[in-house]
C-alpha cells in the first residue's frame, strides 16, 4: 500500500508542474492542477485504507545522493490516520477551488496557485511517510514554503501581505528548532539520519523533547506561539483556509506523536513532559476559544477556533504522557486516542466551515459578521451545511466532534480517579475537566454567534448581497465533507476501535511489557464506549423527535393560509435592518469576562443636542501581537534585521566573497 501513497505524491508533483507549464492557458492549468489533486486523493485513500483495514505496514529505503539522507519511506497506522485529511480534504478543496463565483477565487495567477497547492499537499504527504531526518526536513520546508506562496499569491493589498510573512517567519522559527532537534538526535551517528538510528538519553532526551515542542508547537499555534496563527487566514481563499487548517496544521500534532516513537524507551517519560503539553494545550484552548468569541471577522474566528482545537489535541498528548509516567494504561490510551480522533473530526468540520465561509464571502463580499444576516433565505443548503459543520467543530452531540472531547473528559476523569485526591496531580486533572468544559462552552457560544449573525435575522446590508440563486452543483465538495462528518458521528465507536491498535502502540512505547490491558479491555467493553454509544443514540433520538414535531406542524398547517408580520418594534415608527443585535453586542458580555485574554477598545460618538442627527459606537479587538506587547518584540527584531541587511549589498562579487570566507573558516575549523 505504500506504493499507492508514493504514486499519490508523484501525482501531486506532476499536477503542479503541469499547471505551471501551462501558464499561458489559465483554464487548462486550473483543471490539470485540480486533476492532479483528485488523482492523488484517490490513490492515497486506497493505500491508506489498505494499511488501516488490512494491517499492512510497509517500508522502502533507497539511496539518495545527499549527505546523511536516504529515500526512506514508511507507512504505518499512525501515518495512515494523518494521511486521511491530506488526501480527502486536499482533493475536495481542489474541486471547490474550480468554482467561478465573484470574490471567491482569489488566485491572480492560476498556474502559480495550482503549483503551490499541489506542492503543499505533496509536501505534507511526504513528511508523513518520511523515515529519514533530512528527507523529513526537506518535505517540511517544501510544505511551509509552498503554503506561504499559496497565501501570498492571493494577497495583493499592502496591508494584508504582512500576514503571509508572519506565517513564513513562524514556520522557519519552528523549522530551526527541528534542525536542532535532529542534529541532537543524530549527533555522532556518522551515517544516514534514518529515524531508526536516532536516539537520545539522559539530559539530551529532555532537550530533544523541548525542541520538538517548540518546532511542532509553532506549526499549530501552541501557547505561547499562537499570536501569528490567525494572520494568514482572512485574506486567503476559502479552499486555502481549509487546507491550512485541515491539513497543514495536523503536521504539528503528527510530529509530536512521531517524536514520541523516537524518544520512547524502557525509562518512563519525565513528569514535566506531560504537564508541559497539558498546560500549554489548555492555555491554547482557552485563549483560542475566547479570541474566537470576540472576533468579528468570520475567517479570523475560524482560525482562532483551530488554535483552540489544536490545543485540545496537545492536551490529549499530555494526558497520554502523564498516563505513561504513572503506569496508568487507560489514561494513556484515552489521551492518545482522543488526540487522533479529534484530529480527524476537526479536519473534516473545519474544512467544511472554511468552504462555507467562502460561499458567504462570494455572496456578500465581506467577512465582517456585523454586516451580514438573513442569508438562510437565500443560501438554505449552505446554511444547513454550515450548521452541521459548526456543531461538529463545537463538539456538540450528536455530531462528529463530540467523540473526541468526550474521550478527553473521560481521560481527565480517569486520571483524577487514579491519583490521591489530595495530590497536585488529582487537582490538575480536575482543573483539566473544568477547562475542557469551559472551552466547549465558549466554542458553542462562538459558533452560535457565527451561524446566527450570518444566516439568521434580517439582512444588515441588503444592497450589498447578491441576488443570484444558490447553485447547488457547486456545493458538491461541501456535501461530501458533510456526509463524511455524519458517517464519522454515527461510527464513532468503530473509529475508536480502529484507532485502538495505534493508541496501544503509543502506550507501549515506554514499557516492553503490556500495561493495563485488563483495565483497558474492561473500559472498552463495559464502560466508556457503552456510554459514548448511549450519548449518541439519545441525541439522535432527540433530533428525530424534533424532526417529527416539525413534520407534524407542516401537516397541520398544510392548506391553511399563513401570514408573516414584523415583530414588535417597541413603538418605533421607522425601524431598519440595522436595528438588531450585532455580533459584537452578542459576544461582549461574555468576552469581557476573559479580560485581558480579549482586549477590547471602544470608539464612541454620543448623540448631542435636542434633536441628534447621528451617533456611533464601535468596538475593536486588537490582535494578540498588539494587545500582549508582541509588537515591541517584532519592532526589536525588525531593527536587528535592518542592521544585518547591510550585508545584503546586491552584488554577486560580495556574495562570492562571503562564500569564500565561509569555506576558509570551515577548512580551518576542520584542520
Amino acid at each position: 500500500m505504500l506504493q499507492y501513497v508514493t504514486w499519490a505524491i508523484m501525482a501531486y508533483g506532476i499536477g503542479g508542474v503541469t499547471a505551471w507549464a501551462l501558464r499561458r492557458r489559465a483554464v487548462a492549468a486550473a483543471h490539470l492542477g485540480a486533476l492532479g489533486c483528485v488523482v492523488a486523493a484517490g490513490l492515497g485513500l486506497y493505500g491508506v485504507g489498505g494499511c488501516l483495514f488490512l494491517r499492512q505496514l510497509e517500508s522502502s529505503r533507497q539511496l539518495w545522493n545527499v549527505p546523511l539522507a536516504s529515500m526512506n519511506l514508511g507507512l504505518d497506522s499512525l501515518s495512515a490516520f494523518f494521511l486521511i485529511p491530506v488526501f480527502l480534504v486536499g482533493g475536495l478543496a481542489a474541486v471547490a477551488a474550480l468554482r467561478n463565483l465573484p470574490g471567491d477565487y482569489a488566485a491572480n495567477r492560476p498556474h502559480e496557485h495550482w503549483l503551490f497547492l499541489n506542492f503543499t499537499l505533496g509536501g505534507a504527504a511526504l513528511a508523513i511517510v518520511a523515515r529519514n531526518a533530512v528527507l523529513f526536513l526537506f518535505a517540511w520546508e517544501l510544505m511551509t514554503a509552498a503554503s506561504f506562496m499559496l497565501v501570498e499569491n492571493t494577497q495583493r493589498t499592502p496591508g494584508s501581505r504582512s500576514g503571509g510573512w508572519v506565517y513564513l517567519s513562524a514556520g522557519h522559527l519552528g523549522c530551526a528548532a527541528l534542525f536542532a532537534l535532529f542534529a541532537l538526535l543524530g549527533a555522532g551517528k556518522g551515517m544516514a539520519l534514518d529515524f531508526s538510528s536516532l536516539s537520545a538519553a539522559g539530559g539530551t532526551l529532555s532537550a530533544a523533547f523541548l525542541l520538538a515542542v517548540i518546532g511542532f508547537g509553532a506549526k499549530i499555534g501552541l501557547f505561547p506561539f499562537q499570536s501569528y496563527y490567525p494572520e494568514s487566514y482572512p485574506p486567503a481563499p476559502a479552499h486555502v483556509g481549509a487546507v491550512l487548517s485541515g491539513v497543514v496544521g495536523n503536521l504539528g500534532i503528527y510530529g509530536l506523536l512521531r517524536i514520541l516513537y523516537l524518544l520512547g524507551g524502557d525509562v518512563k517519560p519525565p513528569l514535566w513532559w506531560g504537564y508541559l503539553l497539558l498546560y500549554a494545550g489548555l492555555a491554547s484552548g482557552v485563549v483560542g476559544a475566547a479570541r474566537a468569541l470576540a472576533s468579528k471577522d468570520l475567517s479570523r474566528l475560524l482560525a482562532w477556533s483551530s488554535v483552540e482545537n489544536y490545543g485540545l489535541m496537545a492536551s490529549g498528548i499530555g494526558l497520554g504522557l502523564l498516563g505513561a509516567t504513572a503506569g496508568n494504561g487507560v489514561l494513556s490510551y484515552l489521551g492518545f486516542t482522543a488526540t487522533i480522533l479529534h484530529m480527524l473530526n476537526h479536519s473534516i468540520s473545519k474544512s467544511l466551515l472554511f468552504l462555507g465561509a467562502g460561499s458567504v464571502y462570494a455572496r456578500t463580499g465581506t467577512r465582517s459578521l456585523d454586516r451580514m444576516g438573513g442569508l438562510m433565505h437565500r443560501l438554505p443548503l449552505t446554511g444547513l451545511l454550515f450548521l452541521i459543520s459548526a456543531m461538529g467543530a463545537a463538539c456538540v452531540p450528536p455530531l462528529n466532534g463530540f467523540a473526541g472531547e468526550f474521550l478527553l473528559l473521560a481521560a481527565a476523569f480517569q486520571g483524577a480517579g487514579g491519583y490521591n485526591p489530595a495530590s497536585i496531580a488529582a487537582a490538575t486533572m480536575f482543573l483539566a475537566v473544568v477547562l475542557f468544559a469551559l472551552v466547549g462552552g465558549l466554542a458553542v457560544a462562538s459558533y452560535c454567534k457565527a451561524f446566527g449573525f450570518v444566516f439568521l435575522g434580517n439582512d444588515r446590508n441588503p444592497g450589498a448581497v447578491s441576488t443570484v440563486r444558490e447553485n447547488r452543483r457547486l456545493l458538491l465538495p461541501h456535501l461530501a465533507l458533510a456526509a463524511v462528518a455524519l458517517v464519522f458521528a454515527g461510527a464513532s465507536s468503530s473509529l475508536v476501535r480502529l484507532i485502538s491498535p495505534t493508541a496501544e502502540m503509543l502506550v507501549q512505547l515506554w514499557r516492553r511489557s503490556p500495561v493495563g490491558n485488563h483495565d483497558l479491555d474492561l473500559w472498552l467493553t463495559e464502560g466508556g464506549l457503552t456510554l459514548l454509544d448511549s450519548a449518541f443514540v439519545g441525541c439522535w433520538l432527540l433530533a428525530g423527535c424534533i424532526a417529527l414535531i416539525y413534520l407534524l406542524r407542516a401537516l397541520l398547517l398544510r392548506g391553511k393560509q399563513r401570514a408573516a408580520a414584523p415583530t414588535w418594534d417597541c413603538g418605533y415608527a421607522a425601524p431598519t435592518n440595522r436595528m438588531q443585535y450585532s455580533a459584537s453586542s452578542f459576544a461582549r458580555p461574555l468576552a469581557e469576562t476573559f479580560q485581558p485574554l480579549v482586549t477590547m477598545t471602544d470608539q464612541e460618538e454620543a448623540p448631542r443636542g435636542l434633536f441628534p442627527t447621528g451617533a456611533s459606537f464601535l468596538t475593536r479587538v486588537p490582535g494578540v501581537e498588539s494587545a500582549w506587547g508582541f509588537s515591541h518584540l517584532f519592532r526589536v527584531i525588525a531593527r536587528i534585521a535592518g542592521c544585518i541587511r547591510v550585508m545584503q549589498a546586491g552584488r554577486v562579487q560580495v556574495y562570492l566573497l562571503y562564500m569564500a570566507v565561509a569555506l576558509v573558516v570551515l577548512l580551518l575549523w576542520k584542520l
Side-chain angles (χ1 to χ4, degrees):
M1 294 301 164
L2 178 60
Q3 63 179 348
Y4 290 99
V5 176
T6 306
W7 292 344
I9 297 173
M10 294 173 62
Y12 282 129
I14 294 172
V17 172
T18 304
W20 172 263
L22 295 174
R23 55 185 175 274
R24 296 183 183 275
R25 300 180 179 180
V27 176
H31 283 83
L32 288 177
L35 181 63
C37 294
V38 173
V39 171
L43 292 171
L45 289 175
Y46 181 79
V48 167
C51 175
L52 291 177
F53 293 105
L54 302 179
R55 306 294 183 189
Q56 294 185 4
L57 310 180
E58 302 178 41
S59 61
S60 172
R61 188 180 189 276
Q62 297 180 1
L63 296 179
W64 187 18
N65 192 19
V66 174
L68 303 177
S70 67
M71 291 297 296
N72 193 344
L73 305 177
L75 181 62
D76 57 10
S77 58
L78 180 64
S79 297
F81 282 116
F82 281 86
L83 283 171
I84 292 175
V86 175
F87 297 126
L88 182 61
V89 174
L92 293 175
V95 175
L98 288 174
R99 63 183 187 175
N100 187 19
L101 290 178
D104 182 66
Y105 190 76
N108 296 290
R109 299 180 179 179
H111 62 283
E112 291 183 2
H113 176 85
W114 289 102
L115 172 69
F116 299 137
L117 180 60
N118 276 274
F119 276 25
T120 298
L121 296 171
L126 182 59
I128 292 174
V129 298
R131 296 297 182 268
N132 176 270
V134 177
L135 180 62
F136 178 86
L137 290 173
F138 168 77
W140 186 272
E141 276 292 273
L142 175 65
M143 177 189 67
T144 301
S147 58
F148 160 72
M149 294 302 298
L150 188 63
V151 173
E152 186 68 12
N153 188 44
T154 64
Q155 299 177 6
R156 290 292 180 253
T157 58
S160 63
R161 303 189 77 171
S162 61
W165 289 103
V166 171
Y167 173 82
L168 182 66
S169 301
H172 279 82
L173 171 65
C175 192
L178 296 183
F179 268 96
L181 165 66
F182 289 117
L184 186 64
L185 294 178
K189 300 298 187 295
M191 60 183 73
L193 296 181
D194 293 337
F195 284 178
S196 58
S197 65
L198 302 180
S199 61
T204 306
L205 195 68
S206 294
F209 176 78
L210 194 57
L211 287 171
V213 172
I214 295 173
F216 296 116
K219 179 61 69 177
I220 59 176
L222 187 65
F223 186 88
F225 306 113
Q226 76 285 347
S227 61
Y228 85 94
Y229 195 86
E231 298 305 315
S232 58
Y233 283 84
H239 61 279
V240 175
V243 170
L244 291 178
S245 184
V247 176
V248 175
N250 292 340
L251 270 292
I253 301 297
Y254 169 78
L256 289 173
L257 293 175
R258 180 59 65 185
I259 286 300
L260 293 183
Y261 272 100
L262 304 183
L263 302 182
D266 295 326
V267 181
K268 294 180 180 179
L271 189 63
W272 67 268
W273 286 18
Y275 281 128
L276 175 64
L277 280 178
L278 178 60
Y279 287 138
L282 290 173
S284 295
V286 174
V287 171
R291 299 287 300 186
L293 178 64
S295 296
K296 297 190 293 183
D297 185 288
L298 182 56
S299 294
R300 193 177 291 272
L301 183 150
L302 298 180
W304 278 115
S305 174
S306 294
V307 172
E308 168 222 325
N309 283 280
Y310 285 129
L312 294 179
M313 298 177 210
S315 299
I317 300 177
L319 291 172
L321 287 173
L322 289 175
T325 303
N328 189 334
V330 179
L331 171 60
S332 187
Y333 166 85
L334 290 176
F336 291 131
T337 303
T339 297
I340 298 174
L341 182 61
H342 197 64
M343 179 275 301
L344 290 173
N345 289 323
H346 169 259
S347 298
I348 302 302
S349 297
K350 190 55 62 66
S351 300
L352 180 54
L353 281 170
F354 271 106
L355 294 182
S359 298
V360 170
Y361 177 73
R363 182 57 63 96
T364 62
T366 181
R367 296 183 180 89
S368 174
L369 295 174
D370 287 337
R371 298 178 60 189
M372 299 182 189
L375 290 182
M376 199 68 179
H377 302 291
R378 302 184 182 182
L379 304 173
L381 183 56
T382 301
L384 177 61
L385 296 176
F386 193 94
L387 177 62
I388 292 173
S389 56
M391 292 179 65
C395 304
V396 175
L399 272 298
N400 55 322
F402 170 72
E405 189 156 350
F406 171 83
L407 291 183
L408 283 175
L409 287 168
F413 277 114
Q414 175 68 28
Y419 292 105
N420 184 349
S423 65
I424 297 178
T428 299
M429 294 299 170
F430 282 118
L431 176 64
V433 171
V434 173
L435 292 182
F436 285 148
L438 174 63
V439 169
L442 290 176
V444 171
S446 299
Y447 286 112
C448 281
K449 181 181 79 169
F451 178 78
F453 288 94
V454 172
F455 293 99
L456 304 182
N458 297 320
D459 295 345
R460 289 174 175 79
N461 195 9
V465 179
S466 172
T467 58
V468 179
R469 294 184 62 185
E470 183 179 45
N471 189 344
R472 299 189 176 185
R473 290 181 299 175
L474 300 179
L475 298 179
L476 291 178
H478 306 62
L479 290 169
L481 285 171
V484 173
L486 293 175
V487 169
F488 279 9
S492 293
S493 296
S494 300
L495 278 176
V496 171
R497 293 186 177 93
L498 186 64
I499 297 171
S500 289
T502 307
E504 290 177 6
M505 283 192 298
L506 289 166
V507 172
Q508 302 304 326
L509 283 175
W510 312 98
R511 297 272 173 74
R512 297 307 179 193
S513 58
V515 178
N517 282 344
H518 175 70
D519 293 338
L520 180 57
D521 293 338
L522 188 64
W523 190 92
L524 289 173
T525 56
E526 299 182 7
L529 287 185
T530 302
L531 183 59
L532 179 62
D533 289 335
S534 300
F536 272 103
V537 170
C539 290
W540 283 115
L541 287 176
L542 177 60
C545 292
I546 295 174
L548 287 176
I549 293 173
Y550 180 82
L551 291 176
L552 180 61
R553 175 182 177 275
L555 290 174
L556 292 176
L557 295 177
R558 186 177 181 180
K560 296 182 179 180
Q561 184 178 3
R562 288 176 287 179
T567 58
W568 182 53
D569 52 15
C570 302
Y572 191 77
T576 67
N577 286 349
R578 293 183 59 82
M579 293 179 181
Q580 54 184 323
Y581 278 104
S582 66
S584 301
S585 60
F586 173 83
R588 187 180 181 97
L590 190 56
E592 284 181 340
T593 308
F594 294 92
Q595 298 272 13
L597 296 180
V598 180
T599 304
M600 295 178 291
T601 58
D602 298 331
Q603 296 180 359
E604 180 180 2
E605 181 183 350
R608 298 176 181 177
L610 296 177
F611 302 98
T613 58
S616 65
F617 184 86
L618 179 64
T619 301
R620 296 185 181 276
V621 182
V624 176
E625 69 281 357
S626 301
W628 289 3
F630 282 103
S631 56
H632 301 292
L633 176 62
F634 294 158
R635 281 196 292 268
V636 171
I637 295 174
R639 192 176 299 115
I640 296 173
C643 296
I644 299 175
R645 192 175 182 181
V646 177
M647 300 174 61
Q648 189 176 353
R651 297 180 180 180
V652 177
Q653 296 88 340
V654 177
Y655 298 151
L656 291 174
L657 178 62
Y658 292 160
M659 296 171 63
V661 172
L663 286 174
V664 171
V665 172
L666 289 174
L667 287 173
L668 291 175
W669 176 74
K670 187 65 176 178
L671 292 175

